[in-house]
Amino acid sequence: MKKNKSSKNWVIQQHRDQYFKQAKSSGFRSRSAYKLLELNKKFKFFSKCKTVIDLGSYPGGWSQVLKKNLKNCKILSVDIKKMEKIEGVDFLCCDFREEESKDKILKKLNNKADLLISDMAADTTGNKDLDCIRTNALCAEVIEFSTFVIKDSGVVISKLFNGADFLDVKNLAHNKFHKVNFYKPESSRDYSKETYIHCAGIKTL
Ligand SMILES: C[S@@+](CC[C@H](N)C(=O)[O-])C[C@H]1O[C@@H](n2cnc3c(N)ncnc32)[C@H](O)[C@@H]1O
């Protein structure tokens, strides 16, 4: 049966509400928390993590999931917006793209990280193509940075959009990592071009 626009909107709304309500009742600060749980179910990167960096952490759903699932793990969260404190989570308020911020992140860590996760998305401008390019540029920067900050056996998870520059980011990831996969969690809105890249095992020369 072909769905008309209003029934499609109804389905979208229900989908959105399901995760929104679930997040509220579970005490998660964002519905995004479920995306990270699904990503971990798929790729199982939580096991044996001792140091994790969460980029684009505000309001804190992913950091809450990390805190809940990783025992004795150093968690460093980063966002331009100030995130309300989460016990046991270290927070840096800065623009990840600045060199100074990258230096600060490196200084905060005693050892290289096992896991780098990024849910960063550029502010929306109303121009979908431009938003896509800007968010995918952030993803490319995360992949470049990851090779300095994670262990050779480490894992990267990063949001990107299936649109302009997607192939460039994919090629960059293949140049840097042995394993590259893509996964769109069910809790990610169907109509969104958002997906996540999973990279594992840095290629060393
Ligand atoms: C979708 S939200 C993240 C939601 C978060 N994962 C959660 O579970 O609550 C994207 C975040 O990326 C942040 N962001 C975007 N560009 C950034 C940058 N250059 N540096 C740091 N944070 C950035 C935004 O401020 C925003 O809070």
Side-chain angles (χ1 to χ4, degrees):
M1 190 184 73
K2 207 173 167 201
K3 288 190 182 103
N4 63 29
K5 202 174 169 195
S6 66
S7 73
K8 252 191 203 164
N9 285 345
W10 184 86
V11 172
I12 288 167
Q13 194 62 39
Q14 291 309 302
H15 183 71
R16 178 186 299 167
D17 286 351
Q18 178 202 336
Y19 290 104
F20 178 77
K21 283 179 192 160
Q22 222 174 310
K24 269 206 132 183
S25 67
S26 306
F28 285 131
R29 294 181 187 176
S30 66
R31 61 194 293 295
S32 296
Y34 295 101
K35 298 180 197 170
L36 183 61
L37 287 167
E38 279 187 67
L39 283 157
N40 179 56
K41 200 168 173 190
K42 172 86 182 155
F43 298 114
K44 304 192 171 35
F45 43 79
F46 279 171
S47 61
K48 296 182 192 150
C49 266
K50 289 287 160 234
T51 306
V52 184
I53 305 165
D54 177 10
L55 297 175
S57 60
Y58 174 91
W62 280 25
S63 295
Q64 288 177 304
V65 168
L66 293 173
K67 184 66 201 143
K68 213 169 167 178
N69 287 273
L70 300 173
K71 302 294 164 218
N72 305 318
C73 179
K74 181 176 173 58
I75 302 166
L76 175 60
S77 300
V78 178
D79 204 292
I80 296 183
K81 296 182 197 151
K82 192 167 177 356
M83 185 177 86
E84 206 177 299
K85 188 160 178 52
I86 297 173
E87 212 45 57
V89 173
D90 203 359
F91 177 67
L92 262 179
C93 192
C94 59
D95 183 340
F96 159 73
R97 291 166 301 177
E98 291 173 4
E99 284 310 309
E100 198 190 345
S101 306
K102 290 177 180 144
D103 288 342
K104 278 187 193 163
I105 295 171
L106 285 164
K107 272 193 197 128
K108 282 261 181 194
L109 304 173
N110 300 325
N111 299 308
K112 285 195 167 181
D114 303 285
L115 176 63
L116 172 65
I117 55 177
S118 168
D119 199 18
M120 282 190 293
D123 283 342
T124 48
T125 59
N127 177 335
K128 287 200 170 142
D129 289 335
L130 181 62
D131 295 345
C132 179
I133 289 167
R134 291 170 71 222
T135 292
N136 287 356
L138 276 171
C139 180
E141 208 162 329
V142 169
I143 292 169
E144 293 278 6
F145 179 59
S146 71
T147 58
F148 297 97
V149 82
I150 64 167
K151 293 175 183 161
D152 289 350
S153 58
V155 169
V156 179
I157 294 286
S158 182
K159 191 208 290 283
L160 80 164
F161 288 126
N162 203 343
D165 295 347
F166 176 89
L167 281 180
D168 292 343
V169 179
K170 183 179 174 185
N171 290 338
L172 171 72
H174 277 289
N175 282 337
K176 306 270 180 196
F177 287 88
H178 289 291
K179 279 192 212 159
V180 177
N181 300 289
F182 295 89
Y183 182 65
K184 181 177 176 69
E186 274 191 22
S187 47
S188 172
R189 291 163 183 150
D190 291 343
Y191 60 86
S192 160
K193 286 191 170 178
E194 166 190 89
T195 185
Y196 289 84
I197 191 168
H198 163 264
C199 310
I202 296 177
K203 283 183 179 170
T204 48
L205 296 175

